[in-house]
Amino acid sequence: MSYFSDQVFTNGRLATQNQAAPWATSMAIREGKIVSMNKREIAALTGPNTKVTDLQGQFVMPGLIDCHVHALWGARQELFEAFVGYEATLSDLAQGIAARVEATSVRQTITGGPWNIGHVNAIAKLGLTPRQWLDKISTQHAICIYDTTKHSMMANSLALDAAHIQDQVNGENKHLIELDQQGKANGLLHEEATASVRQYITYNLEQRLQAGRHMTQTLHRYGITAMKEPMAFAEDLATYQRLDQLGQLNLHVFSHIARSSPLNPQALSIDEMQNLRDTYRSPNHHPDGCKLFLDGVAPSRSAAFMDPYVPCCCVGEAADKYDADALLRMSPAQLAQQLTELDAAGFTVKMHAVGDRASNAGLDGIMAARQHQDSGIAHEIAHTTFVTDTDFPRFAQLNTVAEVSPKLWFPTAITSVQKELLGAARADRCHPIKTLLEHGAHITYGSDWPAAVPDADPWIGIAGMITRQHPKGLYPGHVGLEQGINLEQALAIFTRHGAKALRKEDSIGQLKVGFQADFIVLDQHLDQIEPNRIADTQVQQTYFAGQCVYDTQK
């Protein structure tokens, strides 16, 4: 091994995220790892074959970490679906689906979206049900398209009939299947009821690998060098591993295996989970997590809140009969048992929790697991959208990660729906990031792309986390203005905090001797601009293990 560095970077402004030495000007790399940050020492490490890059004062920082991104799903959406964007009109949605129908062989399934309650209301004004509206686009293709949250679907007759949905209208999921006046499924399905139509949305290996390559290119363009796959099935695990074997996964990927979900309600056993973990592990792919769902989402009134929805309760009951626990996807006793078993098996459990009762139940379950043994594993509340006042200190007390996701800490198209369903005051308590930090919670960032957000761009998320307003001004006002944090706190969440959640806090998330050389070069100095301008940040280069994997000049 040569004494000299393979690469040296000089004359930069390096925001290291190393709290002992937060700034540097130079960095030396050998075999993918940082060997020095000392300018004087680096001169001695520079040999005749060392590649020297003069940064000319550019801003450099560790690669960003997205701890909740359905990256393969997002890539498939961009490559293979009729995705029309979150601002699309009903006409735009119809045209997008029709274009995909035109380009797709008969009898193949069409998917895409997103639709929202506004589209449903517009369809009703036409005197049609969602099923009938989609039938007008095609009766030769099964069509099942997602809503903005990805927790509900709209399907045409061919898709509904193939999935035998009408046979399920009196079953256990009957409250999740909307009916027309004749008692026939009208095309709107929620949560578990979507599983029967989702099974027809399939991709072959080459399509999955194509999506994987698109995924890495997309994330590198945004400066992301590590991620968590929050809901992985066997095909996803196999795709990540195969990409790694082909040398095409220049990302640290930590997968949370879906033990059960709206797509797969039959829970995997611990043995099956361990087999998947062992089978699909590779150098850059670590399937050491598990995903559980504690509730649904607010737009479908399936998120579990302590207090009733406004103006009335879900599932058709009166507000005085409201039962928050009825909206939990598993009983507290079942959750405690699962967490104890998964913790003992070494899995990091990520729990989908939108409502404050769901977050509360997740913390109760972790407490039960801690009473059984103190494994040291930091389990996660995914989204942490709403939290009760009494639960804030419990995150630190129980060594629990508060993952804030998706990018809804500023006003968006969904804000008005939140206010309508929850009331303005409660909706304004969305994503209490500052309060969580004040109580010592370990916070990570997740985009949740492609659910509820148009892309995986982290920079608009950083800006909005600071200002709590839409950085592009697309929607007025603020959400939880007092919950804004500063740049230093935000960057730690996107780097060091994420590294710890990936169990890699000793090797990534900082520019520090001995750490892997994962870093990004930016077009502006984040600490010298107005917070809203952070949303416009462009990554000039992304490096993974010292290799340039994205360059605007190439």
Side-chain angles (χ1 to χ4, degrees), residues 121-139:
N121 292 338
I123 290 171
K125 288 181 180 179
L126 297 174
L128 301 171
T129 65
R131 174 182 190 149
Q132 293 168 335
W133 182 76
L134 287 175
D135 285 346
K136 284 182 170 292
I137 298 176
S138 178
T139 58

Side-chain angles (χ1 to χ4, degrees), residues 9 49 94 112 208 236 327-328 399:
F9 293 83
N49 296 318
R208 298 201 308 271
D236 302 312
L327 290 170
L328 293 175
N399 185 28

Side-chain angles (χ1 to χ4, degrees), residues 152-180:
S152 298
M153 300 197 80
M154 182 187 295
N156 70 347
S157 294
L158 190 59
L160 293 170
D161 293 346
H164 303 288
I165 293 297
Q166 196 61 34
D167 296 338
Q168 303 175 37
V169 297
N170 293 315
E172 62 179 352
N173 292 329
K174 60 183 180 182
H175 62 292
L176 301 174
I177 302 171
E178 297 197 26
L179 307 179
D180 62 19

Side-chain angles (χ1 to χ4, degrees), residues 268-328:
L268 299 172
S269 69
I270 293 293
D271 287 343
E272 289 172 319
M273 295 278 297
Q274 291 173 322
N275 181 60
L276 290 170
R277 177 175 63 186
D278 296 341
T279 300
Y280 294 112
R281 184 180 302 283
S282 61
N284 289 327
H285 181 225
H286 307 279
D288 292 310
C290 171
K291 177 68 175 290
L292 298 178
F293 282 80
L294 303 190
D295 68 347
V297 292
S300 63
R301 297 178 181 263
S302 56
F305 286 93
M306 296 288 192
D307 298 317
Y309 285 84
V310 178
C312 60
C313 181
C314 50
V315 296
E317 295 181 352
D320 60 358
K321 295 182 179 179
Y322 178 74
D323 180 6
D325 283 13
L327 290 170
L328 293 175

Side-chain angles (χ1 to χ4, degrees), residues 194-372:
T194 68
S196 297
V197 295
R198 288 181 195 252
Q199 66 178 313
Y200 296 105
I201 305 172
T202 59
Y203 300 94
N204 59 38
L205 176 61
E206 181 47 46
Q207 287 176 313
R208 298 201 308 271
L209 291 176
Q210 183 182 350
R213 291 187 287 269
H214 181 75
M215 168 202 79
T216 57
Q217 293 167 1
T218 298
L219 297 185
H220 289 155
R221 175 162 50 90
Y222 290 132
I224 296 168
T225 55
M227 56 162 279
K228 279 198 165 197
E229 166 57 65
M231 188 177 68
F233 298 94
E235 284 190 349
D236 302 312
L237 299 171
T239 302
Y240 285 122
Q241 183 190 58
R242 185 59 182 147
L243 287 168
D244 204 8
Q245 292 169 341
L246 293 170
Q248 297 172 353
L249 187 69
N250 295 314
L251 290 164
H252 303 285
V253 177
F254 186 109
S255 286
H256 289 266
I257 302 168
R259 189 176 197 187
S260 64
S261 76
L263 282 71
N264 180 31
Q266 186 63 42
L268 299 172
S269 69
I270 293 293
D271 287 343
E272 289 172 319
M273 295 278 297
Q274 291 173 322
N275 181 60
L276 290 170
R277 177 175 63 186
D278 296 341
T279 300
Y280 294 112
R281 184 180 302 283
S282 61
N284 289 327
H285 181 225
H286 307 279
D288 292 310
C290 171
K291 177 68 175 290
L292 298 178
F293 282 80
L294 303 190
D295 68 347
V297 292
S300 63
R301 297 178 181 263
S302 56
F305 286 93
M306 296 288 192
D307 298 317
Y309 285 84
V310 178
C312 60
C313 181
C314 50
V315 296
E317 295 181 352
D320 60 358
K321 295 182 179 179
Y322 178 74
D323 180 6
D325 283 13
L327 290 170
L328 293 175
R329 294 178 56 85
M330 63 182 76
S331 71
Q334 291 171 326
L335 176 58
Q337 180 181 353
Q338 288 208 43
L339 276 165
T340 299
E341 293 174 347
L342 291 162
D343 181 82
F347 288 98
T348 297
V349 183
K350 183 187 286 287
M351 291 168 279
H352 169 104
V354 171
D356 51 13
R357 173 59 182 123
S359 296
N360 173 263
L363 291 167
D364 287 347
I366 293 171
M367 183 171 64
R370 297 282 185 254
Q371 291 171 346
H372 183 267

Side-chain angles (χ1 to χ4, degrees), residues 5 10 59 80 94 156 268 414 438 459 467 489 519 544 546 548:
S5 302
T10 63
F59 190 93
F80 308 123
N156 70 347
L268 299 172
I414 203 172
E438 289 172 346
W459 302 103
T467 67
Q489 292 170 318
F519 61 97
F544 181 81
C548 186

